[in-house]
Coordinates of all heavy atoms in Angstrom, one line a residue:
L2 N -39.3 -1.0 -21.0 CA -37.9 -1.2 -21.0 C -37.2 -0.5 -19.9 O -36.3 -1.0 -19.2 CB -37.3 -1.0 -22.4 CG -35.8 -1.4 -22.6 CD1 -35.6 -2.8 -22.3 CD2 -35.4 -1.0 -24.0
A3 N -37.5 0.8 -19.9 CA -36.9 1.6 -18.9 C -37.2 1.2 -17.4 O -36.4 1.2 -16.5 CB -37.4 3.2 -19.1
A4 N -38.6 0.9 -17.2 CA -39.0 0.4 -15.9 C -38.2 -0.9 -15.5 O -37.8 -1.1 -14.4 CB -40.5 0.2 -15.9
G5 N -38.0 -1.9 -16.5 CA -37.4 -3.1 -16.3 C -35.9 -2.9 -15.9 O -35.3 -3.4 -15.0
F6 N -35.3 -1.9 -16.7 CA -33.9 -1.6 -16.4 C -33.7 -1.0 -15.0 O -32.7 -1.2 -14.3 CB -33.2 -0.7 -17.4 CG -31.7 -0.5 -17.2 CD1 -30.8 -1.4 -17.6 CD2 -31.3 0.7 -16.6 CE1 -29.5 -1.2 -17.3 CE2 -29.9 0.9 -16.4 CZ -29.1 -0.1 -16.7
A7 N -34.7 -0.1 -14.6 CA -34.7 0.5 -13.4 C -34.7 -0.6 -12.2 O -34.1 -0.4 -11.2 CB -35.8 1.6 -13.2
L8 N -35.5 -1.6 -12.4 CA -35.7 -2.6 -11.4 C -34.5 -3.6 -11.4 O -34.0 -4.0 -10.5 CB -37.0 -3.4 -11.6 CG -38.2 -2.7 -11.3 CD1 -39.5 -3.5 -11.8 CD2 -38.3 -2.2 -9.9
L9 N -34.0 -3.9 -12.7 CA -33.0 -4.9 -12.8 C -31.5 -4.4 -12.8 O -30.5 -5.0 -12.6 CB -33.1 -5.8 -14.0 CG -34.4 -6.7 -14.0 CD1 -34.6 -7.4 -15.4 CD2 -34.4 -7.7 -12.8
G10 N -31.4 -3.0 -13.1 CA -30.1 -2.4 -13.2 C -29.2 -2.7 -12.1 O -28.1 -3.1 -12.2
P11 N -29.6 -2.4 -10.8 CA -28.8 -2.7 -9.7 C -28.3 -4.2 -9.6 O -27.1 -4.4 -9.3 CB -29.6 -2.4 -8.5 CG -30.6 -1.4 -9.0 CD -30.9 -1.8 -10.4
Q12 N -29.1 -5.1 -9.9 CA -28.8 -6.5 -9.9 C -27.8 -6.9 -11.1 O -26.8 -7.6 -10.8 CB -30.0 -7.4 -10.1 CG -30.9 -7.3 -8.9 CD -32.2 -8.1 -9.1 OE1 -32.4 -8.6 -10.2 NE2 -33.0 -8.3 -8.0
L13 N -28.0 -6.2 -12.2 CA -27.1 -6.4 -13.3 C -25.7 -5.8 -13.0 O -24.6 -6.4 -13.2 CB -27.6 -5.8 -14.6 CG -28.8 -6.3 -15.2 CD1 -29.3 -5.6 -16.4 CD2 -28.6 -7.9 -15.6
Q14 N -25.7 -4.6 -12.3 CA -24.4 -4.1 -11.8 C -23.7 -5.0 -10.9 O -22.5 -5.1 -10.9 CB -24.7 -2.6 -11.3 CG -23.4 -1.9 -11.0 CD -22.6 -1.6 -12.2 OE1 -23.1 -1.5 -13.3 NE2 -21.4 -1.4 -12.0
Q15 N -24.4 -5.5 -9.9 CA -23.8 -6.3 -8.9 C -23.1 -7.6 -9.6 O -22.0 -7.9 -9.2 CB -24.8 -6.8 -7.8 CG -25.2 -5.7 -6.9 CD -26.3 -6.2 -6.0 OE1 -26.9 -7.2 -6.3 NE2 -26.6 -5.4 -5.0
S16 N -23.8 -8.1 -10.6 CA -23.3 -9.3 -11.1 C -22.0 -9.0 -11.9 O -21.1 -9.8 -12.1 CB -24.3 -10.1 -12.0 OG -24.7 -9.3 -13.1
A17 N -22.0 -7.8 -12.6 CA -20.9 -7.4 -13.4 C -19.6 -7.2 -12.6 O -18.5 -7.3 -12.9 CB -21.2 -6.2 -14.2
D18 N -19.9 -6.7 -11.3 CA -18.8 -6.4 -10.4 C -18.5 -7.6 -9.4 O -17.7 -7.4 -8.5 CB -19.1 -5.1 -9.6 CG -19.2 -3.9 -10.3 OD1 -18.6 -3.9 -11.4 OD2 -19.9 -3.0 -9.9
A19 N -19.2 -8.6 -9.6 CA -19.1 -9.8 -8.7 C -17.7 -10.4 -8.9 O -17.0 -10.3 -10.0 CB -20.0 -10.9 -9.0
P20 N -17.0 -10.9 -7.8 CA -15.7 -11.6 -7.9 C -15.7 -12.6 -9.0 O -16.6 -13.4 -9.1 CB -15.4 -11.9 -6.5 CG -16.4 -11.2 -5.6 CD -17.6 -10.9 -6.5
V21 N -14.5 -12.7 -9.5 CA -14.4 -13.7 -10.6 C -13.1 -14.5 -10.1 O -12.1 -14.0 -9.6 CB -14.1 -13.1 -11.9 CG1 -13.7 -14.1 -13.0 CG2 -15.3 -12.2 -12.4
Q22 N -13.2 -15.8 -10.5 CA -11.9 -16.7 -10.2 C -11.5 -17.2 -11.6 O -12.3 -17.7 -12.4 CB -12.3 -17.7 -9.2 CG -12.5 -17.2 -7.8 CD -12.7 -18.4 -6.8 OE1 -13.2 -19.4 -7.1 NE2 -12.2 -18.1 -5.5
Y23 N -10.2 -17.3 -11.6 CA -9.7 -17.9 -12.8 C -8.7 -19.2 -12.3 O -8.2 -19.1 -11.1 CB -8.6 -17.0 -13.5 CG -9.3 -15.8 -14.2 CD1 -9.7 -14.7 -13.4 CD2 -9.7 -15.8 -15.5 CE1 -10.3 -13.5 -14.0 CE2 -10.2 -14.8 -16.1 CZ -10.6 -13.6 -15.4 OH -11.2 -12.5 -15.9
A24 N -8.6 -20.2 -13.1 CA -7.6 -21.2 -12.8 C -6.8 -21.6 -13.9 O -7.3 -21.5 -15.1 CB -8.5 -22.5 -12.3
A25 N -5.6 -22.0 -13.7 CA -4.6 -22.5 -14.8 C -3.9 -23.7 -14.2 O -3.4 -23.6 -13.1 CB -3.8 -21.4 -15.2
S26 N -3.8 -24.7 -15.0 CA -3.0 -25.9 -14.8 C -1.6 -25.5 -15.5 O -1.6 -25.4 -16.8 CB -3.7 -27.1 -15.3 OG -2.8 -28.3 -15.2
L27 N -0.6 -25.6 -14.8 CA 0.8 -25.3 -15.3 C 1.6 -26.5 -15.4 O 1.8 -27.2 -14.5 CB 1.5 -24.2 -14.5 CG 1.0 -22.8 -14.5 CD1 -0.4 -22.5 -14.1 CD2 1.9 -21.9 -13.6
E28 N 2.0 -26.8 -16.6 CA 2.9 -28.0 -17.0 C 3.5 -27.7 -18.2 O 3.2 -26.8 -19.0 CB 2.1 -29.2 -16.9 CG 1.0 -29.4 -17.9 CD 0.2 -30.6 -17.7 OE1 -0.5 -30.7 -16.7 OE2 0.3 -31.5 -18.6
A29 N 4.6 -28.5 -18.6 CA 5.3 -28.4 -19.8 C 5.9 -29.9 -20.0 O 6.2 -30.6 -19.2 CB 6.5 -27.3 -19.7
E30 N 6.1 -30.0 -21.4 CA 6.8 -31.3 -21.8 C 8.1 -31.3 -21.3 O 8.8 -30.3 -21.1 CB 6.7 -31.4 -23.3 CG 5.4 -31.8 -23.9 CD 5.5 -32.1 -25.5 OE1 6.5 -32.6 -25.9 OE2 4.5 -31.7 -26.2
D31 N 8.6 -32.5 -21.0 CA 10.0 -32.7 -20.6 C 10.3 -32.1 -19.2 O 11.4 -31.6 -18.9 CB 11.1 -32.2 -21.6 CG 10.9 -32.9 -22.9 OD1 10.6 -34.2 -22.9 OD2 11.1 -32.3 -24.0
S32 N 9.3 -31.8 -18.4 CA 9.4 -31.2 -17.1 C 8.5 -32.0 -16.1 O 7.4 -32.2 -16.5 CB 9.0 -29.7 -17.2 OG 9.0 -29.2 -15.8
N33 N 9.0 -32.3 -14.9 CA 8.1 -32.9 -13.9 C 7.5 -31.8 -13.0 O 6.8 -32.2 -12.1 CB 8.9 -34.0 -13.1 CG 9.9 -33.4 -12.3 OD1 10.2 -32.2 -12.3 ND2 10.5 -34.2 -11.4
A34 N 7.7 -30.6 -13.3 CA 7.2 -29.5 -12.4 C 5.7 -29.3 -12.8 O 5.5 -29.2 -14.0 CB 8.0 -28.2 -12.6
R35 N 4.8 -29.3 -11.8 CA 3.5 -29.2 -12.1 C 2.9 -28.1 -11.0 O 3.2 -28.3 -9.8 CB 2.6 -30.4 -11.9 CG 3.2 -31.5 -12.8 CD 2.5 -31.5 -14.2 NE 2.7 -32.7 -15.1 CZ 3.9 -32.8 -15.7 NH1 4.8 -31.8 -15.7 NH2 4.1 -33.8 -16.5
F36 N 2.1 -27.2 -11.4 CA 1.5 -26.3 -10.5 C 0.0 -26.0 -10.9 O -0.4 -26.2 -12.0 CB 2.1 -24.9 -10.6 CG 3.6 -24.8 -10.3 CD1 4.5 -25.2 -11.2 CD2 3.9 -24.5 -9.0 CE1 5.9 -25.2 -10.8 CE2 5.3 -24.4 -8.7 CZ 6.3 -24.7 -9.5
L37 N -0.7 -25.6 -9.9 CA -2.1 -25.1 -10.1 C -2.2 -23.7 -9.7 O -1.8 -23.4 -8.5 CB -3.2 -26.0 -9.4 CG -4.6 -25.5 -9.5 CD1 -5.1 -25.6 -11.0 CD2 -5.5 -26.4 -8.7
A38 N -2.7 -22.8 -10.5 CA -2.8 -21.4 -10.1 C -4.2 -21.0 -10.1 O -5.0 -21.3 -11.0 CB -2.0 -20.5 -11.1
V39 N -4.7 -20.4 -9.0 CA -6.0 -19.9 -8.9 C -6.0 -18.4 -8.5 O -5.5 -18.0 -7.5 CB -6.9 -20.7 -7.9 CG1 -8.3 -20.1 -7.8 CG2 -6.9 -22.1 -8.2
Y40 N -6.6 -17.6 -9.4 CA -6.7 -16.2 -9.2 C -8.0 -15.7 -8.7 O -9.0 -16.1 -9.2 CB -6.3 -15.3 -10.3 CG -6.6 -13.8 -10.2 CD1 -5.9 -13.1 -9.4 CD2 -7.7 -13.2 -10.9 CE1 -6.0 -11.7 -9.2 CE2 -8.0 -11.9 -10.7 CZ -7.1 -11.1 -9.9 OH -7.4 -9.9 -9.7
D41 N -8.2 -15.0 -7.6 CA -9.4 -14.5 -7.0 C -9.4 -13.0 -7.2 O -8.7 -12.3 -6.6 CB -9.6 -14.9 -5.7 CG -10.8 -14.5 -5.0 OD1 -11.8 -14.2 -5.7 OD2 -11.0 -14.6 -3.7
S42 N -10.4 -12.4 -8.0 CA -10.4 -10.9 -8.1 C -10.9 -10.2 -6.8 O -10.5 -9.1 -6.7 CB -11.4 -10.6 -9.3 OG -12.7 -10.9 -8.9
A43 N -11.5 -10.9 -6.0 CA -11.9 -10.2 -4.7 C -10.7 -9.9 -3.9 O -10.6 -8.9 -3.2 CB -12.9 -11.1 -3.8
S44 N -9.7 -10.9 -3.7 CA -8.5 -10.7 -3.0 C -7.4 -10.1 -3.8 O -6.5 -9.5 -3.2 CB -8.1 -12.0 -2.4 OG -7.6 -12.9 -3.4
G45 N -7.4 -10.2 -5.0 CA -6.2 -9.8 -5.9 C -5.1 -10.7 -5.9 O -4.0 -10.3 -6.3
N46 N -5.3 -11.9 -5.3 CA -4.2 -12.9 -5.1 C -4.2 -14.1 -6.1 O -5.3 -14.5 -6.4 CB -4.2 -13.3 -3.6 CG -3.8 -12.3 -2.7 OD1 -3.1 -11.3 -3.0 ND2 -4.1 -12.4 -1.4
V47 N -3.1 -14.6 -6.3 CA -3.0 -15.8 -7.0 C -2.5 -16.8 -6.0 O -1.6 -16.6 -5.3 CB -2.0 -15.8 -8.1 CG1 -1.7 -17.1 -8.8 CG2 -2.3 -14.7 -9.2
R48 N -3.3 -17.9 -5.8 CA -2.9 -19.0 -4.9 C -2.2 -20.0 -5.8 O -2.8 -20.5 -6.7 CB -4.1 -19.6 -4.2 CG -4.0 -21.0 -3.6 CD -3.1 -21.1 -2.3 NE -3.2 -20.2 -1.3 CZ -3.8 -20.5 -0.1 NH1 -4.3 -21.6 0.2 NH2 -3.8 -19.6 0.9
L49 N -0.9 -20.3 -5.5 CA -0.1 -21.2 -6.4 C 0.1 -22.5 -5.6 O 0.7 -22.5 -4.5 CB 1.1 -20.6 -6.8 CG 1.9 -21.4 -7.8 CD1 1.3 -21.4 -9.2 CD2 3.3 -20.8 -8.0
A50 N -0.3 -23.6 -6.1 CA -0.1 -25.0 -5.4 C 0.9 -25.7 -6.3 O 0.8 -25.9 -7.4 CB -1.4 -25.7 -5.3
A51 N 2.1 -25.9 -5.6 CA 3.1 -26.8 -6.3 C 2.8 -28.2 -6.1 O 2.6 -28.7 -4.9 CB 4.5 -26.4 -5.6
L52 N 2.6 -28.8 -7.2 CA 2.1 -30.3 -7.2 C 3.2 -31.3 -7.3 O 3.2 -32.3 -6.8 CB 1.0 -30.5 -8.2 CG -0.1 -29.6 -8.3 CD1 -1.0 -29.9 -9.5 CD2 -0.9 -29.7 -6.9
S53 N 4.3 -30.9 -8.0 CA 5.4 -31.8 -8.1 C 6.5 -31.0 -8.8 O 6.4 -29.9 -9.4 CB 5.1 -33.0 -9.2 OG 4.8 -32.6 -10.4
G54 N 7.8 -31.5 -8.7 CA 9.0 -30.9 -9.3 C 10.2 -31.2 -8.4 O 10.1 -31.4 -7.2
D55 N 11.3 -31.0 -9.0 CA 12.6 -31.2 -8.3 C 13.1 -29.8 -7.7 O 12.9 -28.8 -8.4 CB 13.6 -31.7 -9.2 CG 13.3 -33.1 -9.8 OD1 12.7 -33.9 -8.9 OD2 13.6 -33.4 -10.9
A56 N 13.6 -29.9 -6.6 CA 14.3 -28.6 -6.0 C 15.7 -28.6 -6.5 O 16.4 -29.7 -6.5 CB 14.2 -28.8 -4.5
F57 N 16.3 -27.5 -6.7 CA 17.7 -27.3 -7.0 C 18.3 -26.3 -6.1 O 17.9 -25.1 -6.0 CB 17.7 -26.8 -8.6 CG 17.2 -27.7 -9.6 CD1 15.9 -27.6 -9.9 CD2 18.0 -28.7 -10.1 CE1 15.3 -28.5 -10.8 CE2 17.5 -29.6 -11.0 CZ 16.1 -29.5 -11.5
P58 N 19.4 -26.7 -5.4 CA 20.0 -25.8 -4.4 C 20.5 -24.5 -4.9 O 20.5 -23.5 -4.2 CB 21.1 -26.7 -3.8 CG 21.3 -27.8 -4.7 CD 20.0 -28.0 -5.6
D59 N 20.8 -24.5 -6.2 CA 21.4 -23.3 -6.8 C 20.5 -22.5 -7.7 O 21.0 -21.6 -8.4 CB 22.8 -23.5 -7.4 CG 22.6 -24.6 -8.6 OD1 21.6 -25.3 -8.6 OD2 23.4 -24.6 -9.5
R60 N 19.3 -22.9 -7.7 CA 18.2 -22.3 -8.7 C 17.0 -22.1 -8.0 O 16.7 -22.6 -6.9 CB 18.0 -23.3 -9.9 CG 19.1 -23.8 -10.6 CD 19.8 -22.8 -11.5 NE 19.2 -22.3 -12.5 CZ 19.1 -22.8 -13.9 NH1 19.8 -23.9 -14.1 NH2 18.5 -22.1 -14.8
D61 N 16.2 -21.1 -8.5 CA 14.9 -20.8 -7.9 C 13.8 -20.8 -9.0 O 14.1 -20.6 -10.2 CB 14.8 -19.4 -7.3 CG 15.4 -19.2 -5.9 OD1 15.2 -20.2 -5.2 OD2 16.0 -18.3 -5.7
Y62 N 12.6 -21.2 -8.7 CA 11.5 -21.2 -9.6 C 10.9 -19.8 -9.4 O 10.7 -19.2 -8.4 CB 10.4 -22.2 -9.2 CG 10.9 -23.6 -9.5 CD1 11.4 -24.4 -8.5 CD2 10.7 -24.1 -10.8 CE1 11.9 -25.7 -8.8 CE2 11.1 -25.5 -11.1 CZ 11.7 -26.2 -10.1 OH 12.1 -27.5 -10.3
E63 N 10.6 -19.2 -10.7 CA 10.0 -17.8 -10.7 C 8.7 -17.9 -11.4 O 8.6 -18.4 -12.6 CB 11.0 -16.8 -11.3 CG 10.6 -15.4 -11.2 CD 11.7 -14.4 -11.4 OE1 12.9 -14.8 -11.6 OE2 11.4 -13.2 -11.5
L64 N 7.7 -17.2 -11.0 CA 6.3 -17.2 -11.6 C 6.2 -15.9 -12.4 O 6.6 -14.8 -12.0 CB 5.2 -17.2 -10.5 CG 3.8 -17.1 -10.9 CD1 3.4 -18.3 -11.7 CD2 2.9 -17.1 -9.7

Side-chain angles (χ1 to χ4, degrees):
L2 185 58
F6 186 78
L8 292 173
L9 295 176
Q12 292 175 351
L13 293 174
Q14 184 65 28
Q15 286 176 346
S16 64
D18 293 338
V21 178
Q22 291 187 327
Y23 294 84
S26 175
L27 285 59
E28 56 187 71
E30 285 187 37
D31 301 326
S32 172
N33 69 350
R35 305 272 188 279
F36 296 86
L37 177 64
V39 177
Y40 169 73
D41 179 18
S42 67
S44 69
N46 289 336
V47 176
R48 163 70 45 110
L49 189 69
L52 305 175
S53 66
D55 297 323
F57 297 94
D59 59 338
R60 309 288 295 268
D61 278 325
Y62 288 95
E63 190 162 354
L64 180 64

